[in-house]
Amino acid sequence: MAEKDKLSIVLFSGEMDKALAAFMLATTGASMGMEVKIFFTFWGLNVIKRNEGSIKSKGLMRKMLNIINRGGSKRLKLSKFHMFGLGTWMIKRLMKDINMPSVEEFIVMAHEMGVKLIPCSTSCGLMGADQEAFRPEAEPLAGAAYFLAEASNSKVTLFI
Amino acid sequence: MKADQSLDCVGLYCPMPIVKTAEKIKKLKTGEILEVVADDKGIKLDMPAWAKATGHEFLGTEEKDGEIKVYVKKTHD
């Protein structure tokens, strides 16, 4: 294996279940010797926002957005059956029951395995989140051209 | 089958047995055999696929009372 196979994922969604799907494939890809990158766009940014503190942004609307749409790996909801938190709580319990890692654990694990976590710069501009809004594991912001350049020489590309 | 090292993945589901195998194989010497014990049936197809992708040699599967043992030989660093 001279050149590593690449896996490039766009995570557009900010829900717990979809984030889990992305991180399961990302960590498996890294285990298989692939070079893995996840691009977080739009609601997906919520997955890699810091869990602690408040997110600083400029302008009333963006400030409000970052309060209502706070994000952080520990605040994610299910895309279905959230049921005011009851469904999400139940799924989290079931995950623990089968020793499945949480999104938080997956992020740390993926980072340690060399998976690159890249926030999309346009989504960041739109939503008023800059580098300091993200966890330390996040890479510098990048744009669509960078993703397409990576995707065009990736064996596998996914949009979640 | 005789193995040089064993990895207990009982109670773990995909992708954890593969993630742990990838970690563990780094600690073996080339030519040594790793046994992975698991109960998630997915491993029966996942481990040969992982071995093929990483270039290690998949040696086979043994199954008894719901416990699955898969064997991989480390072929390179």
Short mmCIF file of all heavy atoms in Angstrom, two decimals, chain A residues 14-17 68 72-92:
data_model
loop_
_atom_site.label_atom_id
_atom_site.label_comp_id
_atom_site.label_asym_id
_atom_site.label_seq_id
_atom_site.Cartn_x
_atom_site.Cartn_y
_atom_site.Cartn_z
N GLY A 14 -26.89 17.95 11.87
CA GLY A 14 -26.42 18.18 13.24
C GLY A 14 -27.09 17.26 14.24
O GLY A 14 -27.10 17.56 15.44
N GLU A 15 -27.68 16.18 13.77
CA GLU A 15 -28.35 15.29 14.70
C GLU A 15 -27.44 14.17 15.18
O GLU A 15 -26.52 13.76 14.47
CB GLU A 15 -29.61 14.69 14.07
CG GLU A 15 -30.71 15.71 13.91
CD GLU A 15 -30.98 16.02 12.45
OE1 GLU A 15 -30.16 15.60 11.61
OE2 GLU A 15 -32.00 16.67 12.18
N MET A 16 -27.73 13.67 16.37
CA MET A 16 -26.87 12.67 17.00
C MET A 16 -26.75 11.41 16.16
O MET A 16 -25.65 10.89 15.96
CB MET A 16 -27.43 12.31 18.38
CG MET A 16 -26.54 11.39 19.16
SD MET A 16 -27.29 10.92 20.72
CE MET A 16 -28.25 9.52 20.22
N ASP A 17 -27.88 10.91 15.65
CA ASP A 17 -27.84 9.64 14.92
C ASP A 17 -27.02 9.75 13.64
O ASP A 17 -26.25 8.85 13.30
CB ASP A 17 -29.27 9.12 14.62
CG ASP A 17 -30.26 10.23 14.28
OD1 ASP A 17 -29.83 11.39 14.19
OD2 ASP A 17 -31.44 9.91 14.11
N ILE A 68 -29.94 29.76 20.51
CA ILE A 68 -30.98 28.76 20.19
C ILE A 68 -30.34 27.50 19.61
O ILE A 68 -30.69 26.38 19.94
CB ILE A 68 -32.00 29.34 19.19
CG1 ILE A 68 -32.68 30.58 19.80
CG2 ILE A 68 -33.05 28.31 18.81
CD1 ILE A 68 -33.38 31.44 18.79
N GLY A 72 -22.76 21.45 20.17
CA GLY A 72 -21.88 20.74 21.10
C GLY A 72 -22.26 19.27 21.10
O GLY A 72 -23.44 18.94 21.07
N SER A 73 -21.24 18.41 21.14
CA SER A 73 -21.47 16.97 20.98
C SER A 73 -22.45 16.41 22.01
O SER A 73 -23.12 15.42 21.75
CB SER A 73 -20.14 16.23 21.09
OG SER A 73 -19.63 16.38 22.40
N LYS A 74 -22.53 17.05 23.18
CA LYS A 74 -23.37 16.50 24.24
C LYS A 74 -24.81 17.02 24.18
O LYS A 74 -25.64 16.62 24.98
CB LYS A 74 -22.76 16.82 25.61
CG LYS A 74 -21.44 16.10 25.82
CD LYS A 74 -20.75 16.51 27.09
CE LYS A 74 -19.43 15.74 27.25
NZ LYS A 74 -18.58 16.32 28.28
N ARG A 75 -25.07 17.96 23.24
CA ARG A 75 -26.42 18.53 23.16
C ARG A 75 -27.20 18.05 21.95
O ARG A 75 -28.31 18.49 21.71
CB ARG A 75 -26.33 20.06 23.09
CG ARG A 75 -25.82 20.70 24.36
CD ARG A 75 -25.96 22.21 24.27
NE ARG A 75 -25.39 22.85 25.44
CZ ARG A 75 -24.11 23.12 25.58
NH1 ARG A 75 -23.27 22.82 24.62
NH2 ARG A 75 -23.66 23.69 26.68
N LEU A 76 -26.64 17.16 21.18
CA LEU A 76 -27.30 16.75 19.94
C LEU A 76 -28.55 15.93 20.20
O LEU A 76 -28.62 15.18 21.16
CB LEU A 76 -26.31 15.94 19.08
CG LEU A 76 -24.95 16.58 18.81
CD1 LEU A 76 -24.08 15.66 17.97
CD2 LEU A 76 -25.11 17.93 18.13
N LYS A 77 -29.53 16.12 19.29
CA LYS A 77 -30.80 15.40 19.42
C LYS A 77 -30.90 14.34 18.33
O LYS A 77 -30.20 14.41 17.33
CB LYS A 77 -31.96 16.37 19.25
CG LYS A 77 -32.00 17.47 20.30
CD LYS A 77 -33.00 18.54 19.91
CE LYS A 77 -33.00 19.65 20.96
NZ LYS A 77 -33.81 20.80 20.52
N LEU A 78 -31.82 13.42 18.50
CA LEU A 78 -32.09 12.44 17.45
C LEU A 78 -32.87 13.10 16.32
O LEU A 78 -33.64 14.03 16.55
CB LEU A 78 -32.95 11.30 18.02
CG LEU A 78 -32.28 10.23 18.85
CD1 LEU A 78 -33.33 9.24 19.33
CD2 LEU A 78 -31.22 9.50 18.04
N SER A 79 -32.70 12.60 15.09
CA SER A 79 -33.45 13.16 13.96
C SER A 79 -34.91 12.70 14.01
O SER A 79 -35.79 13.32 13.43
CB SER A 79 -32.81 12.75 12.64
OG SER A 79 -32.81 11.36 12.49
N LYS A 80 -35.17 11.60 14.69
CA LYS A 80 -36.53 11.10 14.90
C LYS A 80 -36.66 10.68 16.35
O LYS A 80 -35.67 10.31 16.97
CB LYS A 80 -36.77 9.84 14.04
CG LYS A 80 -37.12 10.14 12.62
CD LYS A 80 -37.27 8.84 11.86
CE LYS A 80 -38.71 8.39 11.86
NZ LYS A 80 -38.89 7.27 10.89
N PHE A 81 -37.86 10.71 16.88
CA PHE A 81 -38.13 10.22 18.23
C PHE A 81 -37.36 10.96 19.32
O PHE A 81 -36.99 10.35 20.33
CB PHE A 81 -37.84 8.70 18.35
CG PHE A 81 -38.66 7.88 17.42
CD1 PHE A 81 -38.05 6.97 16.56
CD2 PHE A 81 -40.03 8.00 17.38
CE1 PHE A 81 -38.81 6.21 15.67
CE2 PHE A 81 -40.79 7.25 16.50
CZ PHE A 81 -40.19 6.34 15.64
N HIS A 82 -37.07 12.25 19.08
CA HIS A 82 -36.42 13.00 20.16
C HIS A 82 -37.39 13.10 21.34
O HIS A 82 -36.98 12.91 22.49
CB HIS A 82 -36.00 14.39 19.66
CG HIS A 82 -35.38 15.23 20.74
ND1 HIS A 82 -34.23 14.86 21.39
CD2 HIS A 82 -35.77 16.41 21.29
CE1 HIS A 82 -33.94 15.79 22.30
NE2 HIS A 82 -34.86 16.73 22.26
N MET A 83 -38.65 13.34 21.03
CA MET A 83 -39.74 13.39 22.03
C MET A 83 -39.36 14.20 23.28
O MET A 83 -39.33 13.68 24.40
CB MET A 83 -40.18 11.97 22.41
CG MET A 83 -40.73 11.22 21.22
SD MET A 83 -41.49 9.65 21.63
CE MET A 83 -40.09 8.66 22.07
N PHE A 84 -39.05 15.46 23.05
CA PHE A 84 -38.66 16.38 24.14
C PHE A 84 -37.52 15.82 25.00
O PHE A 84 -37.46 16.04 26.20
CB PHE A 84 -39.87 16.74 25.03
CG PHE A 84 -41.02 17.29 24.26
CD1 PHE A 84 -42.13 16.51 24.00
CD2 PHE A 84 -40.97 18.59 23.76
CE1 PHE A 84 -43.20 17.02 23.25
CE2 PHE A 84 -42.02 19.11 23.02
CZ PHE A 84 -43.14 18.33 22.76
N GLY A 85 -36.67 15.06 24.36
CA GLY A 85 -35.49 14.56 25.08
C GLY A 85 -35.63 13.13 25.56
O GLY A 85 -34.63 12.46 25.80
N LEU A 86 -36.85 12.65 25.66
CA LEU A 86 -37.05 11.30 26.19
C LEU A 86 -36.47 10.23 25.26
O LEU A 86 -35.77 9.32 25.70
CB LEU A 86 -38.54 11.05 26.43
CG LEU A 86 -38.87 9.72 27.12
CD1 LEU A 86 -38.36 9.72 28.55
CD2 LEU A 86 -40.38 9.45 27.09
N GLY A 87 -36.76 10.39 23.96
CA GLY A 87 -36.27 9.42 22.97
C GLY A 87 -34.75 9.41 22.91
O GLY A 87 -34.12 8.37 22.86
N THR A 88 -34.18 10.63 22.90
CA THR A 88 -32.72 10.74 22.83
C THR A 88 -32.08 10.13 24.08
O THR A 88 -31.09 9.39 23.98
CB THR A 88 -32.32 12.23 22.69
OG1 THR A 88 -32.93 12.72 21.49
CG2 THR A 88 -30.81 12.39 22.59
N TRP A 89 -32.67 10.41 25.22
CA TRP A 89 -32.16 9.85 26.47
C TRP A 89 -32.18 8.31 26.42
O TRP A 89 -31.23 7.64 26.82
CB TRP A 89 -33.02 10.35 27.64
CG TRP A 89 -32.73 9.72 28.96
CD1 TRP A 89 -31.71 10.06 29.81
CD2 TRP A 89 -33.43 8.62 29.57
NE1 TRP A 89 -31.74 9.25 30.92
CE2 TRP A 89 -32.78 8.36 30.80
CE3 TRP A 89 -34.52 7.85 29.19
CZ2 TRP A 89 -33.20 7.35 31.66
CZ3 TRP A 89 -34.94 6.84 30.06
CH2 TRP A 89 -34.29 6.60 31.28
N MET A 90 -33.29 7.78 25.87
CA MET A 90 -33.44 6.33 25.80
C MET A 90 -32.39 5.70 24.87
O MET A 90 -31.75 4.72 25.23
CB MET A 90 -34.84 5.98 25.30
CG MET A 90 -35.23 4.57 25.61
SD MET A 90 -36.83 4.18 24.86
CE MET A 90 -36.36 4.00 23.16
N ILE A 91 -32.21 6.32 23.70
CA ILE A 91 -31.22 5.78 22.76
C ILE A 91 -29.82 5.84 23.38
O ILE A 91 -29.02 4.91 23.25
CB ILE A 91 -31.25 6.54 21.41
CG1 ILE A 91 -32.55 6.22 20.66
CG2 ILE A 91 -30.05 6.21 20.55
CD1 ILE A 91 -32.66 4.82 20.09
N LYS A 92 -29.52 6.93 24.10
CA LYS A 92 -28.21 7.03 24.75
C LYS A 92 -28.02 5.90 25.75
O LYS A 92 -26.93 5.34 25.88
CB LYS A 92 -28.06 8.38 25.45
CG LYS A 92 -27.69 9.52 24.51
CD LYS A 92 -27.49 10.80 25.30
CE LYS A 92 -27.08 11.94 24.39
NZ LYS A 92 -27.09 13.22 25.11
#
